[in-house]
Amino acid sequence: MLAAAAALSPTKKPVDPPFSPIPDDPDLTQSEGEGGEGSDKKKKKKKKKKKPAFKPTRIPVAGTIAKYRLTSIIRPEGHFVGGVTAFDAVDTGLENDTTFSDFMSSNKTNQTVCYCFDVSARVLVFLSCPSREALWREPFLDRGIRKLASEDVFICSFETAHAYVRENPKPRPDATLQWIWNTGRCGSTLMSRVMVASGSAVSLSEPWWFDELCFAIDDGALPEAEFDELVKTLHVVDFKLASDMWPEATVFSMNPKGKGHPVRPSILRAFPDGKHMFMYRDTRKVVESFGSIFSNNMPWYIKFAMNLGLGGPPPINKKAFSDPRLSEMFESGDLRLPKRLNPIAQRITAMWVDGVSSWIRLRESEPLLGDSVTIRMDEFVTKDLDKRRENVRAVLKSVGIEGKESIELGMTAFNKHSQAGTRMATSSASAGTKKFLTAEDADSIAEFVASIPGMKADMVIPGSLAA
């Protein structure tokens, strides 16, 4: 197991990506001609660089997967970038197609992950990288694979992947599947690192396809039965692709973003024997952390416009709440976010209350979740190492990982900032920058949360570990 955990330890510098980054600035232009003062030549108009947008020109027949070649990709980690609008690729030809089962069994060669799906084309898209070990050192798979992607892109039809999963319903026969639900900014990335460091778990941290599942719910893109099958297929296929990196692993853990909980009912239907965990933190700290990161990386003119009430996230509506109780309260007028908060703060606050409330309701209604773990960030990152070790022991035991060696390996994940080197490590607390929330903003958030029966901004959810 020590060797398995070592896969995440930095060794040599990762291979440099073979493509130049596409700039963040969507208005970047390039000149198509010369000219200048005194020139008789007609000046040609500047032409915007074409943004990537992948559309498969050929979908392989059932049971096979096609190989495309990457031609462009947006590498910078910018928020809300991903899917088929983040890259483009061209077909390499029928002669490079292979069976899907051969593809799934040869990932040591291909070095791929499932990146995204396209409902309109009904395809799954897989991106490759020079080194999956380097990719797993990245905190987030959605941004990490764009940063490191190499030229091989693979696509297959939904039906091809579904057929594979019908024959292989788990990444391995004795697999235990786990989900780390969370409010965001509460230690879930670190928890994902703990699971992998134990040497007995594979963990996927924020793959882009999970975000797309959330989008598909909002859009009503698929009937429930089709959506459930897609949920199962994506999990099993991506877990299976990663499994050869940790051949001894029996636990397969998913760490979605804080907005991921609307997918949970489908996951409960697709994987009724799965294990679940919930991580959380004081509402005000979550809003401050997220808000300061977004604000610190936002152009001044956008912040200025938002302060005037122009632009920003769309207004909150009942769709912002997956918990039926909150949705009904919002529709009846009993749930109104503080007007003094800017749209970003409102959106994060709504996400927090929905995540916490839906988890509490779920535990009350689902007897199968009786063995689930709920842990607050305060206890998870306590400076009391004995208590921290006990929490790691309890978390690992909840998914069947036991033994002193696994616990000590898991403890090594605390030695490094789990999000180091990314924008998500630039909160006001980490970077010492200006606070996102004023004292009055924080008070208004606390008052709002307290207006919801049974909730408080600094609440301890009943049954929380070590609280």
Side-chain angles (χ1 to χ4, degrees):
M1 278 194 281
L2 285 168
L8 283 179
S9 61
T11 52
K12 61 183 181 180
K13 184 179 178 181
V15 177
D16 289 330
F19 301 100
S20 298
I22 294 174
D24 274 322
D25 184 0
D27 293 322
L28 188 74
T29 58
Q30 59 186 5
S31 175
E32 285 191 334
E34 296 182 359
E37 190 174 352
S39 173
D40 292 330
K41 293 182 180 180
K42 185 178 179 180
K43 292 182 179 179
K44 295 185 179 180
K45 290 181 180 180
K46 290 183 177 181
K47 182 180 178 182
K48 288 185 178 181
K49 283 190 175 180
K50 182 182 176 182
K51 292 183 183 179
F54 175 66
K55 292 183 179 179
T57 53
R58 180 179 64 87
I59 299 173
V61 298
T64 67
I65 189 164
K67 186 176 181 180
Y68 278 61
R69 179 175 57 80
L70 193 69
T71 57
S72 62
I73 190 164
I74 300 175
R75 294 196 184 277
E77 65 171 291
H79 303 296
F80 315 119
V81 176
V84 294
T85 60
F87 77 98
D88 204 354
V90 294
D91 186 10
T92 65
L94 185 66
E95 65 274 14
N96 290 315
D97 288 8
T98 187
T99 67
F100 190 73
S101 58
D102 283 350
F103 168 79
M104 291 297 296
S105 63
S106 58
N107 207 29
K108 286 186 177 179
T109 301
N110 294 327
Q111 298 285 298
T112 63
V113 294
C114 185
Y115 175 56
C116 67
F117 62 89
D118 185 345
V119 171
S120 61
R122 298 186 66 82
V123 296
L124 303 190
V125 177
F126 303 82
L127 295 183
S128 62
C129 60
S131 162
R132 282 179 298 157
E133 285 76 15
L135 176 58
W136 254 259
R137 286 196 290 270
E138 296 289 325
F140 313 110
L141 289 175
D142 59 347
R143 283 147 276 185
I145 187 58
R146 287 192 290 104
K147 173 182 174 181
L148 300 175
S150 50
E151 69 174 14
D152 290 343
V153 178
F154 299 87
I155 72 163
C156 72
S157 67
F158 280 4
E159 185 51 43
T160 288
H162 291 335
Y164 175 86
V165 172
R166 290 180 199 124
E167 293 185 5
N168 304 273
K170 285 188 173 184
R172 55 182 282 171
D174 59 347
T176 296
L177 273 61
Q178 176 208 43
W179 286 265
I180 306 172
W181 306 106
N182 61 87
T183 62
R185 310 307 297 165
C186 60
S188 61
T189 306
L190 176 57
M191 181 66 79
S192 178
R193 298 293 203 196
V194 168
M195 299 305 298
V196 174
S198 75
S200 297
V202 173
S203 186
L204 306 181
S205 184
E206 301 190 12
W208 182 258
W209 56 257
F210 203 104
D211 289 10
E212 289 184 320
L213 291 173
C214 298
F215 305 153
I217 290 176
D218 290 343
D219 297 339
L222 290 168
E224 183 178 284
E226 287 188 41
F227 184 77
D228 288 356
E229 186 167 31
L230 182 59
V231 165
K232 183 168 186 174
T233 292
L234 287 164
H235 279 84
V236 172
V237 166
D238 215 13
F239 278 139
K240 176 66 175 175
L241 287 172
S243 65
D244 68 286
M245 296 173 65
W246 294 274
E248 297 179 19
T250 56
V251 174
F252 295 81
S253 178
M254 172 60 66
N255 173 37
K257 290 184 175 67
K259 64 183 180 183
H261 50 272
V263 183
R264 191 163 53 218
S266 178
I267 286 171
L268 291 171
R269 293 189 294 268
F271 302 101
D273 58 348
K275 303 289 185 179
H276 300 266
M277 177 191 305
F278 185 73
M279 301 187 71
Y280 67 105
R281 186 185 187 187
D282 186 305
T283 325
R284 295 157 294 188
K285 292 180 179 179
V286 172
V287 177
E288 173 62 36
S289 186
F290 266 134
S292 61
I293 291 167
F294 296 147
S295 181
N296 289 342
N297 291 283
M298 187 182 294
W300 70 268
Y301 51 87
I302 295 181
K303 287 188 277 189
F304 181 75
M306 285 180 56
N307 288 334
L308 295 177
L310 304 172
I316 301 292
N317 57 38
K318 69 175 185 177
K319 285 187 175 182
F321 304 101
S322 63
D323 183 341
R325 179 183 72 142
L326 298 182
S327 182
E328 290 169 8
M329 288 178 66
F330 184 87
E331 202 165 23
S332 67
D334 295 331
L335 189 67
R336 285 290 178 265
L337 285 129
K339 290 184 178 179
R340 68 166 293 111
L341 298 179
N342 73 30
I344 291 177
Q346 287 191 349
R347 179 73 47 179
I348 300 166
T349 302
M351 182 182 75
W352 188 96
V353 297
D354 190 45
V356 172
S357 180
S358 62
W359 176 252
I360 294 171
R361 303 284 87 73
L362 184 67
R363 289 199 67 184
E364 292 172 349
S365 62
E366 289 285 347
L368 291 176
L369 292 182
D371 61 350
S372 61
V373 172
T374 304
I375 184 166
R376 189 171 61 153
M377 184 176 180
D378 307 55
E379 284 70 44
F380 182 51
V381 298
T382 176
K383 295 187 183 300
D384 185 324
L385 295 185
D386 289 335
K387 290 182 178 178
R388 183 186 292 180
R389 185 173 283 102
E390 176 57 26
N391 290 335
V392 169
R393 184 200 66 78
V395 164
L396 294 179
K397 184 178 179 181
S398 72
V399 290
I401 301 174
E402 298 192 66
K404 185 176 180 180
E405 183 182 20
S406 294
I407 295 169
E408 294 307 314
L409 285 170
M411 287 288 289
T412 64
F414 291 85
N415 296 339
K416 181 182 177 181
H417 193 306
S418 62
Q419 300 177 350
T422 73
R423 290 183 182 180
M424 300 309 285
T426 61
S427 67
S428 56
S430 299
T433 52
K434 181 182 177 181
K435 289 279 188 180
F436 174 70
L437 296 174
T438 65
E440 292 78 11
D441 291 338
D443 289 343
S444 70
I445 289 172
E447 291 172 10
F448 166 75
V449 177
S451 73
I452 303 170
M455 297 188 72
K456 289 176 62 179
D458 62 350
M459 71 184 295
V460 176
I461 298 174
S464 292
L465 192 64

